[in-house]
Amino acid sequence: MVNSRYSSIIRSGLVALFVAALAGCGGGDGTDGVDGVDGVDGADGADGITPGLVYNVPAMTATDWANLTLTGTVDNVTVASPPVVQFSVKGPNNKAVVGLTTAQVAFTIAKLVPASNGEPSHWVNYIVATPSSLTDPLCPGTLGKPTNDSTGTLVDHNDGTYTYTFARNVAGDANTPGSIQCVIDKSTASNKGDLGDVSWQPNLTHRLAVQIQGYNDPTAADHLRLNSAINLFYDFVPATGAKVAADDAGNRELVAIDNCNQCHQRLAFHGGGSRVDTQYCVLCHTDQRKFGVANSTIDYATSTLYGPNGEIYDPATYDALTSTQKTAIRTDRVNDKSWTDFPTMVHKIHNGPHSMLTGNNIHGLNLEEITFPRSQTNCVACHNNAAQADNWKTNPSRKACGACHDGIDWATGAGVTLSGSTFGHEGGGFADDSDCTLCHRPGGLRDNTLAHAFTQTDYVLNGAVPTGVYNFTYDVSAFTYGAGTASITFAIKRDGTNISLGEYNATTKPYLYMEDATHYATSYIEGTRSRGPQVVVAYSATKDGIATPADYTANLSMSLEGTSGIWQNPTTHPNATTWTKTSGVNTWTMIQNGDNSYTMTVAAAALPATPGLATGLIYGTFNQVGFQRWGDPVTPLLIAPQTAKRSLTTAERRIIVSADKCNACHGQLGASPNFHGGVRNDPQTCGICHNVDLTAHHSDPGYVLDELHPTQSIDSTVFIHRLHSGKTIFGEDTGFEISYPQSTANCARCHEGDAVTTTTSKRLFRRTSHPTATTWTVSSPTAAACTSCHDTEVAAGHIASASGVVGNVEVDQAGITALTAVTREGCMTCHGPGRSSDINVWHNGAL
């Protein structure tokens, strides 16, 4: 507002100038006139932007914009014709973000069609047509798959709040020029029915979604994209304006994005990662995506998926096809249903190579190359911590279930099950989903919580352990160590109670942990041994000239049972309370304590008086007999307790990777994908066996794995990195197919604390191959870990320049000792914390 006093001064000044100008034309000065009346105040001007109190997007550097962390809310949505959205955006320290344009912001809106006839509720997106005129009653325009709206009007209120008015009218009917409904209704496209019913239904739940991403200045030469896009949501009923809570019965939130990011770090797709929440994904990945896509078919008799022109997708030849040929062979629409509809697409992606069909190709993805880091039966891995997360067990559908069970023809019930059986769907064929819950409901004949469990671990991970399923755990209460001897005190707990090893009958099955003759747990099932309880003492002894190495070098172990186990020692009655067993030159003794715990002691000359590392542990799985699922006995039911361990005061191996971090993706490490029968499920135990001496050989003596690895060390620091980076481990015949679900540059995803940058001179050289009986090729410790991913000659040369040794030197034992004595890797000189090429900074820059 302009002050009236200043207005008078300005007017007086102008008068004076005018008088002076007249004086210049001649004549005498006249008498001053009386001041005029003050003018009316002018309108208030727009508030200015106060530097330092807001984030002004156009004024930010590209780097500052790229690293900006945003938060926001949708404050209100009204729909009379085009939707009008009011939203707010803030940056760090709660400072407003101003200056956003439609170059960074886009919107979409969809309605939630309620469940009907057994079919679950589903989203229908309105933004499937673009009018070319807002006034022509013939409603010309184009039709397309669900998309966003970003060509409307965005008003920046310069305080972090904005108002956006859609370019499209979603509320108009078939007679409203320019409306979505009118464009579709007047269209002559023969396939417009694929877009479904997009009529405006204001009494249904709707979701308005916003994405904020992109470049702060797309025209600038140094522009950068926002690293962390955000998605905002507003669920509401347009007719009343009422907001709809996530847990409202009329809403649909089956997956929480935090579950996705347990593995994916930060799920981000489309346009440089603009969609970062599954609540956005479901709005565009609807059945409407079949629009404009040719239909593919399934031959259930041969479990073959045929593309639109009768082709069968072959990953071996796909890359050589032209883009047109690739599009023609995609199986994005099958049996007139979109396979890029979110429930179908996501289940099929995560089922990956377990599909029963040959020829899967969704939008160019070779599903056989996508692996899931845990059992596909673990539904709760994704369906958890969301309002309607239990839908998988309470409201099953042919769409969702059939995405994994894709060998079944639901119309007839015929086909192939995931186990490979050809008896098809046990319940037969169905025309709709209305009868699914007759069997597949909690407590039903084929309760999904039971149907998706084949081991005790499956039950635990799905959060539903039936009555009668044992829960075995280990407890290690003491570990003592001295020169030539070590003892570990442990208990085996069933359902929280220490148990005795039970009875032994030499003429019948050797029951362990008996309850009765029908229900028991054992590591023998009809003569087939599982990996029953085993006690291990691991340590490091002098090696390669290092007196107390920081890596395990050896271990001693004793099974509780089996032909070589201490409990079934044929020279001592197994029902005694003390057992002894000689294994080679070592003597093992086990005593039963009064509380049904046991103490195992080994006398072994190999145990050094001063080890670098020493730890005691017990591991092993159990098979439970007698538990019945649906009235049918399941034998065996595998139970794999987490490995228990106890460190010596002189320290076990430093914590490099925690089990919690592994299990964020794997559920329970070792269970599925299964290795060692589920026995090794704590990463701290991997390095005990996978130590510096362990190498893998290819069957061809001349086989070269890659530029740096003539064969391969399977020391834990090497092979675990190679597994997660998708590298070959054991050679071409390994059978491993690994797809890591996030950037391999994110070391902190697995590693604890400063494990990546901590080095010690007591770490040992890794044997990368064993060409002869007395020689090895070797790599220095840090070089071995880094070249597991950085496996080129360029990387090798770089590491060699820092005094590293990279698997290209063949030496005998004396040579290894000599190299160990003189090698001092200089990696951390540049790559250490705060250094010029800090590894954490460099790796984070690659994310």
Side-chain angles (χ1 to χ4, degrees), residues 273-288:
S274 58
R275 316 285 164 75
V276 295
D277 197 311
T278 52
Q279 304 313 309
Y280 199 123
C281 302
V282 296
L283 302 184
C284 292
H285 282 278
T286 67
D287 191 54
Q288 297 163 292

Side-chain angles (χ1 to χ4, degrees), residues 49-66 68 95-101 104 156 158 162 215-220 222-224:
I49 297 173
T50 306
L53 299 181
V54 299
Y55 293 97
N56 186 9
V57 174
M60 298 179 74
T61 67
T63 300
D64 286 345
W65 164 254
L68 186 63
K95 289 164 61 173
V97 174
V98 302
L100 292 172
T101 70
Q104 296 99 21
D156 179 358
N158 285 327
Y162 297 81
Y215 306 97
N216 66 324
D217 183 357
T219 63
D222 63 342
H223 64 270
L224 293 174

Side-chain angles (χ1 to χ4, degrees), residues 13 35 50 144 172 223 290 296 325 338 437 468 508 535 638 681 774 781 784 818:
D35 289 345
T50 306
H223 64 270
K290 67 187 178 186
S296 299
Q325 290 172 325
S338 173
T437 53
T508 61
V535 171
L638 179 68
N681 49 38
T774 58

Side-chain angles (χ1 to χ4, degrees), residues 97-163:
V97 174
V98 302
L100 292 172
T101 70
T102 51
Q104 296 99 21
V105 186
F107 305 79
T108 199
I109 186 170
K111 63 183 176 182
L112 183 61
V113 178
S116 175
N117 203 30
E119 181 184 2
S121 59
H122 60 280
W123 295 100
V124 173
N125 196 299
Y126 288 107
I127 312 302
V128 292
T130 303
S132 54
S133 170
L134 299 180
T135 58
D136 190 336
L138 295 179
C139 295
T142 58
L143 309 184
K145 298 179 179 67
T147 186
N148 57 54
D149 190 293
S150 61
T151 58
T153 303
L154 180 66
V155 177
D156 179 358
H157 301 296
N158 285 327
D159 59 358
T161 64
Y162 297 81
T163 300

